[in-house]
Amino acid sequence: MSQNKKSPLSWVPSTYFAMGLPFIVINQTAALMYKDLGISDAEITKWTSLIILPWSLKFLISPLLEMAKSKRVFVVLTQLITAVMFYMVASVLGMNSFFAVSISMLAVVGLSGATHDIAADGLYIESLSSSQQAEYIGWQGAFYNIAKIVSTGGFVYLAGELGKSMGVVRGWAIVMATLGVLMMLLGIYHIKALPNPINKDQKKAKEGFTILVDVIKTFFQKKHIFYYIIFIILYRFAEGFAIKMAPLFLKASRDVGGLGLSTSQMGTIYGTMGAAAFVIGSLLAGKYISKKGLKKTLFQLVLIFNIPFAVYFVLAHFQPESLTWISIAVIFEYFGYGFGFVGLTLFMMQQIAPGKYKMAHYAFATSIMNLGVMIPSYISGELSDWLGYEMFFGWVVIATIPSILITKFVPFGTKEETIES
């Protein structure tokens, strides 16, 4: 069997697990770690939002990778870099300036992780036929979400349990070091496991920057594109405020308006039950849309995506002590999140991506979408400190209104109509 004939099951699941882990650690797990270590909500949301910026700039990084003969080198290299950075984060948590130093290291993980995503997707496309790409797409999503369960579930729970017996700092240090070992093992495994298709089109590769200019130009020539940009930003506008503050609110003590959950409880609720609800919601949404079509279901999908964020306002108002009711609320929100997010993904694929640069324009759209989430996430901590948790989540409910209103007027075109004006 040649290098490029390796079974996709020998590398696709592990590669996309390695893709999901850095992003989830930075975006969610690290926030809980810093909360345990005494960092304020405002600082947590500001800096953990800022260091995910590379995922919003992937369309600028991709032309550089097009110049490489082999994507495998970048996949393995970025996994090893991430492994080293996680281990270094573990080594500095006991320092007085641990927050600034560890955030700098996680920023390197952000750049490495975004680069990994581009290289891994490129490897997937270059190594598999069209039929294989469709056949194994489910393995992509499944193992990306398994990374979420492992990170926000298993590792957060482990940090909580270790913290009880050996202290919070040491508990989280062990977790971060273990994440580093896991990424290192994945990198070593992929040295041999990954296929290695060689990019023979050197002329095209050297024209990467020229292509980038054309990608941007043709993207903004698409019919309805400015309306679509506003739509994909507003779709996740409320989520941008809630995504980091929700777990911080659940962990915050009751005397400041939080629910006072332990780290172990957070791992159980968010990483297992919440992640499972997200996957189930995504699967059901796919079947629902396939039967009725995106155009007929988009408004319903926006409602299902946004309305469940109101559970955090209810939780902040009543501050229930029952873990059962808190779990039900989080499961409801995550189910709606998974169900509604599919609608935005398909909208970008079907209404924005079609044309000369289908893959690049989809990446461009997701970059704008991620930037739209990052900005409200960046200010969410300071806004929450100013308003208090209850009023903050009241604002989140209000922030869902623009996305719901704009959906009633979003224009749909045929494939030909949405390509270029």
Side-chain angles (χ1 to χ4, degrees), residues 14-156:
S14 55
T15 301
Y16 281 85
F17 177 86
M19 178 187 287
L21 204 61
F23 182 78
I24 300 302
V25 168
I26 290 177
N27 203 35
Q28 293 181 295
T29 309
L32 293 173
M33 177 181 74
Y34 288 131
K35 182 73 171 179
D36 271 352
L37 296 175
I39 305 300
S40 70
D41 289 355
E43 290 298 298
I44 292 171
T45 56
K46 181 187 299 182
W47 289 104
T48 59
S49 297
L50 193 60
I51 60 178
I52 65 170
L53 181 61
W55 275 278
S56 295
L57 301 176
K58 289 196 292 184
F59 71 99
L60 295 175
I61 303 172
S62 58
L64 299 176
L65 295 187
E66 285 294 338
M67 299 180 185
K69 288 185 179 181
S70 170
K71 303 294 191 299
R72 184 178 71 173
V73 174
F74 284 93
V75 173
V76 172
L77 181 61
T78 51
Q79 288 173 6
L80 297 178
I81 291 173
T82 295
V84 172
M85 289 298 107
F86 280 157
Y87 189 81
M88 290 181 68
V89 169
S91 69
V92 304
L93 291 184
M95 296 172 52
N96 290 332
S97 57
F98 77 91
F99 182 61
V101 177
S102 61
I103 279 291
S104 299
M105 293 169 177
L106 290 178
V108 176
V109 173
L111 182 58
S112 176
T115 304
H116 176 278
D117 288 10
I118 299 165
D121 286 336
L123 189 66
Y124 184 87
I125 293 167
E126 291 178 3
S127 302
L128 305 182
S129 65
S130 297
S131 61
Q132 286 178 315
Q133 291 174 21
E135 181 181 356
Y136 293 101
I137 191 70
W139 290 92
Q140 277 192 25
F143 275 81
Y144 190 96
N145 278 289
I146 287 174
K148 183 172 186 176
I149 294 172
V150 169
S151 180
T152 61
F155 279 111
V156 170

Side-chain angles (χ1 to χ4, degrees), residues 30 40 49 54 73 168 187 214 231 242 247 256 261 275 300 302 353 359 377 379 411:
S40 70
S49 297
V73 174
V168 173
D214 197 39
F231 173 70
V256 296
L261 298 187
Q300 299 162 35
V302 171
M359 188 165 57
S377 180
I379 65 173

